[in-house]
mmCIF file of all heavy atoms in Angstrom:
data_model
loop_
_atom_site.group_PDB
_atom_site.id
_atom_site.type_symbol
_atom_site.label_atom_id
_atom_site.label_comp_id
_atom_site.label_asym_id
_atom_site.label_seq_id
_atom_site.Cartn_x
_atom_site.Cartn_y
_atom_site.Cartn_z
ATOM 1 N N PRO A 89 -4.555 11.244 15.685
ATOM 2 C CA PRO A 89 -4.607 11.007 14.272
ATOM 3 C C PRO A 89 -5.459 12.015 13.597
ATOM 4 O O PRO A 89 -5.163 12.391 12.404
ATOM 5 C CB PRO A 89 -5.162 9.606 14.264
ATOM 6 C CG PRO A 89 -4.681 9.046 15.534
ATOM 7 C CD PRO A 89 -4.747 10.141 16.568
ATOM 8 N N GLU A 90 -6.580 12.411 14.242
ATOM 9 C CA GLU A 90 -7.445 13.371 13.568
ATOM 10 C C GLU A 90 -6.857 14.762 13.328
ATOM 11 O O GLU A 90 -7.362 15.534 12.517
ATOM 12 C CB GLU A 90 -8.750 13.458 14.442
ATOM 13 C CG GLU A 90 -9.467 12.147 14.518
ATOM 14 C CD GLU A 90 -9.001 11.218 15.581
ATOM 15 O OE1 GLU A 90 -8.101 11.641 16.391
ATOM 16 O OE2 GLU A 90 -9.363 10.120 15.566
ATOM 17 N N GLN A 91 -5.770 15.134 14.054
ATOM 18 C CA GLN A 91 -5.152 16.366 13.926
ATOM 19 C C GLN A 91 -4.055 16.433 12.939
ATOM 20 O O GLN A 91 -3.451 17.449 12.701
ATOM 21 C CB GLN A 91 -4.598 16.808 15.333
ATOM 22 C CG GLN A 91 -5.728 17.107 16.351
ATOM 23 C CD GLN A 91 -5.121 17.290 17.672
ATOM 24 O OE1 GLN A 91 -4.197 16.532 18.213
ATOM 25 N NE2 GLN A 91 -5.665 18.289 18.465
ATOM 26 N N VAL A 92 -3.673 15.308 12.424
ATOM 27 C CA VAL A 92 -2.422 15.216 11.557
ATOM 28 C C VAL A 92 -2.756 15.926 10.216
ATOM 29 O O VAL A 92 -3.767 15.626 9.560
ATOM 30 C CB VAL A 92 -2.040 13.788 11.324
ATOM 31 C CG1 VAL A 92 -0.998 13.646 10.250
ATOM 32 C CG2 VAL A 92 -1.603 13.033 12.619
ATOM 33 N N ASP A 93 -1.864 16.851 9.855
ATOM 34 C CA ASP A 93 -1.849 17.397 8.612
ATOM 35 C C ASP A 93 -0.896 16.465 7.726
ATOM 36 O O ASP A 93 0.217 16.365 8.000
ATOM 37 C CB ASP A 93 -1.299 18.858 8.646
ATOM 38 C CG ASP A 93 -1.112 19.533 7.293
ATOM 39 O OD1 ASP A 93 -0.537 18.925 6.371
ATOM 40 O OD2 ASP A 93 -1.678 20.704 7.210
ATOM 41 N N LEU A 94 -1.435 15.925 6.680
ATOM 42 C CA LEU A 94 -0.749 14.954 5.888
ATOM 43 C C LEU A 94 0.459 15.541 5.170
ATOM 44 O O LEU A 94 1.508 14.862 5.047
ATOM 45 C CB LEU A 94 -1.578 14.199 4.888
ATOM 46 C CG LEU A 94 -2.679 13.320 5.514
ATOM 47 C CD1 LEU A 94 -3.540 12.614 4.416
ATOM 48 C CD2 LEU A 94 -1.998 12.309 6.405
ATOM 49 N N GLU A 95 0.407 16.829 4.850
ATOM 50 C CA GLU A 95 1.603 17.438 4.199
ATOM 51 C C GLU A 95 2.662 17.604 5.264
ATOM 52 O O GLU A 95 3.821 17.430 4.965
ATOM 53 C CB GLU A 95 1.213 18.810 3.610
ATOM 54 C CG GLU A 95 0.385 18.768 2.256
ATOM 55 C CD GLU A 95 0.148 20.118 1.698
ATOM 56 O OE1 GLU A 95 0.897 21.015 1.952
ATOM 57 O OE2 GLU A 95 -0.821 20.115 0.879
ATOM 58 N N GLU A 96 2.303 18.010 6.353
ATOM 59 C CA GLU A 96 3.258 18.107 7.445
ATOM 60 C C GLU A 96 3.852 16.770 7.830
ATOM 61 O O GLU A 96 5.185 16.725 8.074
ATOM 62 C CB GLU A 96 2.668 18.760 8.749
ATOM 63 C CG GLU A 96 3.592 19.139 9.793
ATOM 64 C CD GLU A 96 2.936 19.903 10.963
ATOM 65 O OE1 GLU A 96 1.924 20.536 10.757
ATOM 66 O OE2 GLU A 96 3.485 19.791 12.075
ATOM 67 N N LEU A 97 3.034 15.704 7.844
ATOM 68 C CA LEU A 97 3.587 14.395 8.194
ATOM 69 C C LEU A 97 4.553 13.979 7.130
ATOM 70 O O LEU A 97 5.595 13.488 7.422
ATOM 71 C CB LEU A 97 2.379 13.398 8.224
ATOM 72 C CG LEU A 97 2.768 11.935 8.485
ATOM 73 C CD1 LEU A 97 3.115 11.759 9.986
ATOM 74 C CD2 LEU A 97 1.661 11.003 8.091
ATOM 75 N N ALA A 98 4.302 14.230 5.836
ATOM 76 C CA ALA A 98 5.129 13.874 4.734
ATOM 77 C C ALA A 98 6.562 14.558 4.848
ATOM 78 O O ALA A 98 7.550 14.064 4.434
ATOM 79 C CB ALA A 98 4.512 14.149 3.374
ATOM 80 N N ALA A 99 6.535 15.728 5.478
ATOM 81 C CA ALA A 99 7.745 16.507 5.584
ATOM 82 C C ALA A 99 8.622 16.139 6.778
ATOM 83 O O ALA A 99 9.752 16.640 7.000
ATOM 84 C CB ALA A 99 7.425 18.041 5.657
ATOM 85 N N CYS A 100 8.103 15.247 7.575
ATOM 86 C CA CYS A 100 8.784 14.829 8.905
ATOM 87 C C CYS A 100 9.891 13.868 8.648
ATOM 88 O O CYS A 100 9.766 13.000 7.807
ATOM 89 C CB CYS A 100 7.789 14.270 9.916
ATOM 90 S SG CYS A 100 6.831 15.553 10.695
ATOM 91 N N ASP A 101 11.016 14.042 9.312
ATOM 92 C CA ASP A 101 12.160 13.164 9.306
ATOM 93 C C ASP A 101 11.920 11.967 10.192
ATOM 94 O O ASP A 101 12.367 10.873 9.978
ATOM 95 C CB ASP A 101 13.412 13.865 9.682
ATOM 96 C CG ASP A 101 13.706 15.033 8.815
ATOM 97 O OD1 ASP A 101 13.892 14.869 7.578
ATOM 98 O OD2 ASP A 101 13.749 16.189 9.397
ATOM 99 N N LEU A 102 11.157 12.234 11.324
ATOM 100 C CA LEU A 102 10.937 11.215 12.305
ATOM 101 C C LEU A 102 9.540 11.341 12.828
ATOM 102 O O LEU A 102 9.171 12.535 13.233
ATOM 103 C CB LEU A 102 11.905 11.336 13.437
ATOM 104 C CG LEU A 102 11.798 10.427 14.690
ATOM 105 C CD1 LEU A 102 12.114 8.922 14.238
ATOM 106 C CD2 LEU A 102 12.760 10.788 15.812
ATOM 107 N N VAL A 103 8.782 10.224 12.923
ATOM 108 C CA VAL A 103 7.402 10.241 13.412
ATOM 109 C C VAL A 103 7.225 9.135 14.362
ATOM 110 O O VAL A 103 7.681 7.992 14.139
ATOM 111 C CB VAL A 103 6.320 10.124 12.253
ATOM 112 C CG1 VAL A 103 4.955 10.186 12.817
ATOM 113 C CG2 VAL A 103 6.552 11.155 11.176
ATOM 114 N N GLY A 104 6.694 9.475 15.576
ATOM 115 C CA GLY A 104 6.353 8.386 16.618
ATOM 116 C C GLY A 104 4.842 8.175 16.481
ATOM 117 O O GLY A 104 4.099 9.046 16.351
ATOM 118 N N PHE A 105 4.506 6.862 16.725
ATOM 119 C CA PHE A 105 3.113 6.386 16.741
ATOM 120 C C PHE A 105 2.897 5.709 17.994
ATOM 121 O O PHE A 105 3.622 4.646 18.293
ATOM 122 C CB PHE A 105 2.862 5.565 15.577
ATOM 123 C CG PHE A 105 2.978 6.241 14.198
ATOM 124 C CD1 PHE A 105 4.157 6.323 13.492
ATOM 125 C CD2 PHE A 105 1.834 6.823 13.594
ATOM 126 C CE1 PHE A 105 4.275 6.938 12.253
ATOM 127 C CE2 PHE A 105 1.964 7.450 12.364
ATOM 128 C CZ PHE A 105 3.168 7.542 11.731
ATOM 129 N N GLY A 106 1.888 6.078 18.816
ATOM 130 C CA GLY A 106 1.821 5.399 20.108
ATOM 131 C C GLY A 106 0.342 5.404 20.632
ATOM 132 O O GLY A 106 -0.469 6.289 20.289
ATOM 133 N N SER A 107 0.069 4.389 21.478
ATOM 134 C CA SER A 107 -1.253 4.319 22.140
ATOM 135 C C SER A 107 -1.137 3.325 23.332
ATOM 136 O O SER A 107 -0.142 2.637 23.367
ATOM 137 C CB SER A 107 -2.395 3.869 21.170
ATOM 138 O OG SER A 107 -2.313 2.410 20.997
ATOM 139 N N GLY A 108 -2.166 3.237 24.049
ATOM 140 C CA GLY A 108 -2.205 2.081 24.995
ATOM 141 C C GLY A 108 -2.539 0.884 24.205
ATOM 142 O O GLY A 108 -2.874 0.911 23.080
ATOM 143 N N ILE A 109 -2.342 -0.262 24.881
ATOM 144 C CA ILE A 109 -2.494 -1.537 24.299
ATOM 145 C C ILE A 109 -3.879 -2.076 24.755
ATOM 146 O O ILE A 109 -4.183 -2.186 25.975
ATOM 147 C CB ILE A 109 -1.366 -2.509 24.670
ATOM 148 C CG1 ILE A 109 -0.009 -1.962 24.060
ATOM 149 C CG2 ILE A 109 -1.650 -3.914 24.119
ATOM 150 C CD1 ILE A 109 0.029 -1.742 22.583
ATOM 151 N N PHE A 110 -4.648 -2.522 23.840
ATOM 152 C CA PHE A 110 -5.923 -3.016 24.038
ATOM 153 C C PHE A 110 -6.036 -4.520 23.471
ATOM 154 O O PHE A 110 -5.932 -4.545 22.210
ATOM 155 C CB PHE A 110 -7.038 -2.150 23.467
ATOM 156 C CG PHE A 110 -7.074 -0.767 24.034
ATOM 157 C CD1 PHE A 110 -6.118 0.184 23.500
ATOM 158 C CD2 PHE A 110 -7.756 -0.347 25.089
ATOM 159 C CE1 PHE A 110 -6.118 1.492 24.064
ATOM 160 C CE2 PHE A 110 -7.745 0.827 25.669
ATOM 161 C CZ PHE A 110 -6.937 1.799 25.102
ATOM 162 N N LEU A 111 -6.265 -5.483 24.243
ATOM 163 C CA LEU A 111 -6.243 -6.774 23.727
ATOM 164 C C LEU A 111 -5.105 -7.172 22.880
ATOM 165 O O LEU A 111 -5.239 -7.685 21.823
ATOM 166 C CB LEU A 111 -7.644 -7.105 23.016
ATOM 167 C CG LEU A 111 -8.923 -6.867 23.841
ATOM 168 C CD1 LEU A 111 -10.110 -7.034 22.907
ATOM 169 C CD2 LEU A 111 -8.984 -7.915 24.983
ATOM 170 N N MET A 112 -3.928 -6.808 23.347
ATOM 171 C CA MET A 112 -2.666 -7.109 22.769
ATOM 172 C C MET A 112 -2.355 -6.375 21.424
ATOM 173 O O MET A 112 -1.665 -6.857 20.589
ATOM 174 C CB MET A 112 -2.490 -8.685 22.525
ATOM 175 C CG MET A 112 -2.421 -9.334 23.919
ATOM 176 S SD MET A 112 -1.032 -8.807 25.010
ATOM 177 C CE MET A 112 0.412 -9.235 24.150
ATOM 178 N N ALA A 113 -3.091 -5.221 21.235
ATOM 179 C CA ALA A 113 -2.903 -4.485 19.929
ATOM 180 C C ALA A 113 -2.966 -3.042 20.294
ATOM 181 O O ALA A 113 -3.619 -2.550 21.238
ATOM 182 C CB ALA A 113 -3.995 -4.793 18.921
ATOM 183 N N PHE A 114 -2.407 -2.199 19.411
ATOM 184 C CA PHE A 114 -2.492 -0.749 19.451
ATOM 185 C C PHE A 114 -3.987 -0.315 19.284
ATOM 186 O O PHE A 114 -4.818 -1.144 18.680
ATOM 187 C CB PHE A 114 -1.760 -0.066 18.484
ATOM 188 C CG PHE A 114 -0.195 -0.066 18.894
ATOM 189 C CD1 PHE A 114 0.647 -1.059 18.480
ATOM 190 C CD2 PHE A 114 0.321 1.058 19.567
ATOM 191 C CE1 PHE A 114 1.968 -1.051 18.874
ATOM 192 C CE2 PHE A 114 1.651 1.056 19.893
ATOM 193 C CZ PHE A 114 2.505 0.052 19.522
ATOM 194 N N HIS A 115 -4.361 0.811 19.711
ATOM 195 C CA HIS A 115 -5.718 1.284 19.655
ATOM 196 C C HIS A 115 -6.187 1.234 18.220
ATOM 197 O O HIS A 115 -5.443 1.598 17.295
ATOM 198 C CB HIS A 115 -5.885 2.698 20.238
ATOM 199 C CG HIS A 115 -7.284 3.211 20.494
ATOM 200 N ND1 HIS A 115 -8.030 3.650 19.466
ATOM 201 C CD2 HIS A 115 -7.964 3.153 21.670
ATOM 202 C CE1 HIS A 115 -9.205 3.876 19.994
ATOM 203 N NE2 HIS A 115 -9.222 3.601 21.244
ATOM 204 N N PRO A 116 -7.475 0.911 17.910
ATOM 205 C CA PRO A 116 -7.913 0.820 16.519
ATOM 206 C C PRO A 116 -7.860 2.169 15.807
ATOM 207 O O PRO A 116 -7.668 2.161 14.622
ATOM 208 C CB PRO A 116 -9.425 0.380 16.793
ATOM 209 C CG PRO A 116 -9.514 -0.239 18.100
ATOM 210 C CD PRO A 116 -8.450 0.395 18.934
ATOM 211 N N ARG A 117 -8.049 3.304 16.503
ATOM 212 C CA ARG A 117 -7.935 4.548 15.859
ATOM 213 C C ARG A 117 -6.513 4.816 15.203
ATOM 214 O O ARG A 117 -6.451 5.278 14.148
ATOM 215 C CB ARG A 117 -8.277 5.750 16.790
ATOM 216 C CG ARG A 117 -9.761 6.089 16.904
ATOM 217 C CD ARG A 117 -10.020 7.066 17.971
ATOM 218 N NE ARG A 117 -9.112 8.269 17.875
ATOM 219 C CZ ARG A 117 -8.800 8.891 19.015
ATOM 220 N NH1 ARG A 117 -9.305 8.587 20.203
ATOM 221 N NH2 ARG A 117 -8.052 10.093 18.875
ATOM 222 N N LEU A 118 -5.555 4.427 16.001
ATOM 223 C CA LEU A 118 -4.115 4.563 15.464
ATOM 224 C C LEU A 118 -3.885 3.582 14.347
ATOM 225 O O LEU A 118 -3.383 3.934 13.386
ATOM 226 C CB LEU A 118 -3.112 4.343 16.669
ATOM 227 C CG LEU A 118 -1.713 4.607 16.304
ATOM 228 C CD1 LEU A 118 -1.468 6.061 15.935
ATOM 229 C CD2 LEU A 118 -0.751 4.036 17.339
ATOM 230 N N ARG A 119 -4.221 2.290 14.546
ATOM 231 C CA ARG A 119 -4.058 1.395 13.408
ATOM 232 C C ARG A 119 -4.853 1.818 12.176
ATOM 233 O O ARG A 119 -4.166 1.654 11.037
ATOM 234 C CB ARG A 119 -4.616 -0.033 13.851
ATOM 235 C CG ARG A 119 -3.768 -0.568 15.020
ATOM 236 C CD ARG A 119 -4.043 -2.075 15.289
ATOM 237 N NE ARG A 119 -5.322 -2.532 15.113
ATOM 238 C CZ ARG A 119 -6.326 -2.775 16.011
ATOM 239 N NH1 ARG A 119 -5.935 -2.554 17.316
ATOM 240 N NH2 ARG A 119 -7.499 -3.188 15.752
ATOM 241 N N GLU A 120 -6.084 2.268 12.283
ATOM 242 C CA GLU A 120 -6.833 2.655 11.125
ATOM 243 C C GLU A 120 -6.198 3.914 10.485
ATOM 244 O O GLU A 120 -6.088 3.971 9.206
ATOM 245 C CB GLU A 120 -8.293 2.983 11.455
ATOM 246 C CG GLU A 120 -9.141 1.793 11.726
ATOM 247 C CD GLU A 120 -9.072 0.733 10.544
ATOM 248 O OE1 GLU A 120 -9.224 1.210 9.403
ATOM 249 O OE2 GLU A 120 -8.858 -0.487 10.807
ATOM 250 N N PHE A 121 -5.672 4.885 11.256
ATOM 251 C CA PHE A 121 -5.015 5.972 10.685
ATOM 252 C C PHE A 121 -3.795 5.536 9.849
ATOM 253 O O PHE A 121 -3.661 5.972 8.641
ATOM 254 C CB PHE A 121 -4.549 6.944 11.805
ATOM 255 C CG PHE A 121 -3.647 8.052 11.316
ATOM 256 C CD1 PHE A 121 -4.192 9.121 10.620
ATOM 257 C CD2 PHE A 121 -2.226 8.155 11.532
ATOM 258 C CE1 PHE A 121 -3.364 10.069 10.027
ATOM 259 C CE2 PHE A 121 -1.473 9.043 11.055
ATOM 260 C CZ PHE A 121 -1.970 9.980 10.318
ATOM 261 N N VAL A 122 -2.933 4.673 10.399
ATOM 262 C CA VAL A 122 -1.780 4.222 9.600
ATOM 263 C C VAL A 122 -2.189 3.502 8.400
ATOM 264 O O VAL A 122 -1.647 3.675 7.340
ATOM 265 C CB VAL A 122 -0.839 3.331 10.561
ATOM 266 C CG1 VAL A 122 0.359 2.827 9.723
ATOM 267 C CG2 VAL A 122 -0.344 4.119 11.634
ATOM 268 N N ARG A 123 -3.213 2.640 8.480
ATOM 269 C CA ARG A 123 -3.701 1.897 7.318
ATOM 270 C C ARG A 123 -4.155 2.802 6.204
ATOM 271 O O ARG A 123 -4.118 2.542 5.018
ATOM 272 C CB ARG A 123 -4.802 1.002 7.633
ATOM 273 C CG ARG A 123 -4.440 -0.360 8.309
ATOM 274 C CD ARG A 123 -5.589 -1.385 8.466
ATOM 275 N NE ARG A 123 -5.205 -2.384 9.315
ATOM 276 C CZ ARG A 123 -5.687 -2.477 10.596
ATOM 277 N NH1 ARG A 123 -6.591 -1.638 11.090
ATOM 278 N NH2 ARG A 123 -5.285 -3.471 11.321
ATOM 279 N N SER A 124 -4.714 3.941 6.622
ATOM 280 C CA SER A 124 -5.307 4.950 5.660
ATOM 281 C C SER A 124 -4.242 5.774 4.938
ATOM 282 O O SER A 124 -4.556 6.479 3.896
ATOM 283 C CB SER A 124 -6.266 5.969 6.337
ATOM 284 O OG SER A 124 -5.557 6.880 7.123
ATOM 285 N N LEU A 125 -2.925 5.753 5.382
ATOM 286 C CA LEU A 125 -1.968 6.611 4.789
ATOM 287 C C LEU A 125 -1.615 6.028 3.450
ATOM 288 O O LEU A 125 -1.459 4.809 3.166
ATOM 289 C CB LEU A 125 -0.723 6.553 5.660
ATOM 290 C CG LEU A 125 -0.786 7.251 7.003
ATOM 291 C CD1 LEU A 125 0.476 7.065 7.805
ATOM 292 C CD2 LEU A 125 -1.025 8.771 6.795
ATOM 293 N N PRO A 126 -1.389 6.847 2.464
ATOM 294 C CA PRO A 126 -0.980 6.429 1.149
ATOM 295 C C PRO A 126 0.533 5.853 1.305
ATOM 296 O O PRO A 126 1.272 6.358 2.007
ATOM 297 C CB PRO A 126 -1.009 7.697 0.206
ATOM 298 C CG PRO A 126 -0.986 8.793 1.160
ATOM 299 C CD PRO A 126 -1.573 8.388 2.453
ATOM 300 N N LYS A 127 0.833 4.931 0.416
ATOM 301 C CA LYS A 127 2.193 4.448 0.421
ATOM 302 C C LYS A 127 3.095 5.346 -0.387
ATOM 303 O O LYS A 127 2.785 5.727 -1.463
ATOM 304 C CB LYS A 127 2.192 3.034 -0.194
ATOM 305 C CG LYS A 127 3.589 2.491 -0.141
ATOM 306 C CD LYS A 127 3.628 0.997 -0.724
ATOM 307 C CE LYS A 127 5.207 0.527 -0.566
ATOM 308 N NZ LYS A 127 5.203 -0.889 -1.071
ATOM 309 N N GLU A 128 4.072 5.867 0.282
ATOM 310 C CA GLU A 128 4.997 6.707 -0.370
ATOM 311 C C GLU A 128 6.375 6.774 0.403
ATOM 312 O O GLU A 128 6.446 6.175 1.505
ATOM 313 C CB GLU A 128 4.534 8.159 -0.491
ATOM 314 C CG GLU A 128 4.092 8.776 0.858
ATOM 315 C CD GLU A 128 3.475 10.117 0.721
ATOM 316 O OE1 GLU A 128 2.408 10.228 -0.005
ATOM 317 O OE2 GLU A 128 4.017 11.047 1.254
#
């Protein structure tokens, strides 16, 4: 998540998001990254 260039992300046709599962949830770093994205 820390390496993502938001302009490059916006230009993607397909994006995969993944992590190990911790206490039945995706890793907090991944969840926080997705939460921080602007809605568009």
